[in-house]
Amino acid sequence: MVLVRPLAAAPDALAEVIAAFTGGVAAQAGGIALDVARLVDNGNAVPVTVAVDSPMSATDRVAVIALFNERNPQREVALFEFGPHAGRAVVSTRIRLATSQRLAAVARMSDGGFRLAVADVVVALAACIEDME
């Protein structure tokens, strides 16, 4: 189970990177699922799946899914663009996590709206520690 919180609950650094992506437009919770384990043994390869509920029609579709993190040296993890012929808005990848932190998935819809899902992840063995401040 993933915990979804409104943008206001996200830490300042995460909220800032999300606001930069959305152009200051408030992202709405719901209609997007961020699937990531709440506890991972090793931060070097953390499986993440993002799925957005959308008909993916010509007029109502997901244009972009962005994945952000709270504490890695690079806050922007991934950006996935969907063309008008994409059948569904689902992406899966593996990411590195420097330490326990919050992840956020943001979907930009074709109507200019944004959807947000946030998850807290506890990392037992950190990755990227040589790049941390």
Side-chain angles (χ1 to χ4, degrees):
M1 179 177 206
V2 173
L3 179 63
V4 177
R5 296 183 179 160
L7 180 61
D12 289 343
L14 189 56
E16 287 174 13
V17 74
I18 293 169
F21 174 73
T22 65
V25 175
Q28 302 300 314
I32 182 172
L34 173 56
D35 184 19
V36 60
R38 295 178 78 181
L39 174 64
V40 295
D41 292 332
N42 187 332
N44 285 305
V46 179
V48 177
T49 299
V50 180
V52 183
D53 184 24
S54 171
M56 296 302 283
S57 67
T59 58
D60 184 6
R61 64 184 182 84
V62 176
V64 177
I65 294 175
L67 187 59
F68 303 103
N69 67 72
E70 174 184 33
R71 301 189 66 201
N72 280 9
Q74 295 292 323
R75 303 270 189 251
E76 300 86 2
V77 176
L79 186 72
F80 304 92
E81 295 184 14
F82 295 85
H85 301 293
R88 55 187 202 144
V90 178
V91 295
S92 292
T93 190
R94 292 184 183 272
I95 64 173
R96 293 181 74 180
L97 294 177
T99 187
S100 299
Q101 58 187 293
R102 185 165 291 157
L103 300 179
V106 182
R108 180 172 59 220
M109 308 304 290
S110 59
D111 66 1
F114 294 89
R115 296 182 186 170
L116 170 71
V118 179
D120 292 307
V121 180
V122 175
V123 178
L125 176 63
C128 310
I129 56 174
E130 66 277 358
D131 294 320
M132 295 298 293
E133 296 176 26

